[in-house]
């Protein structure tokens, strides 16, 4: 990544559900652990993105990145 990227991946609450239980269409697309919200956050952070865990964190992330 050559430009700052701030990402926010929603849906981590799904990881606490029992196997086989889904909530909405997004859960139907998660078939492996690599497709979970946590895995996506980790991959983005390892690639150099600034990962916000909640929408409220994005303004602070922006301020930090743009300084």
């Amino acid at each position: 990544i050559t430009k700052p990227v701030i990402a926010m991946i929603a849906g981590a609450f799904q990881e606490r559900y029992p196997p086989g239980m889904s909530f909405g269409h997004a859960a139907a697309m998660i078939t492996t652990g690599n497709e979970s919200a946590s895995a996506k956050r980790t991959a983005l952070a390892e690639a150099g993105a600034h990962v916000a865990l909640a929408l409220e964190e994005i303004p602070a992330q922006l301020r930090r990145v743009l300084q």
Side-chain angles (χ1 to χ4, degrees):
I1 298 175
T2 59
K3 295 182 181 181
V5 172
I6 297 175
M8 207 276 314
I9 303 294
F13 69 95
Q14 284 273 313
E15 296 170 20
R16 294 187 297 269
Y17 284 6
M21 180 181 235
S22 70
F23 182 80
H25 70 282
M29 295 186 289
I30 299 172
T31 58
T32 69
N34 292 341
E35 297 170 344
S36 69
S38 294
K40 291 174 185 178
R41 288 175 179 166
T42 299
L44 284 163
E46 288 174 354
H50 304 271
V51 180
L53 300 179
L55 289 173
E56 299 83 32
E57 295 179 10
I58 293 175
Q61 293 270 11
L62 282 168
R63 283 190 289 277
R64 247 188 319 272
V65 169
L66 296 176
Q67 286 181 354

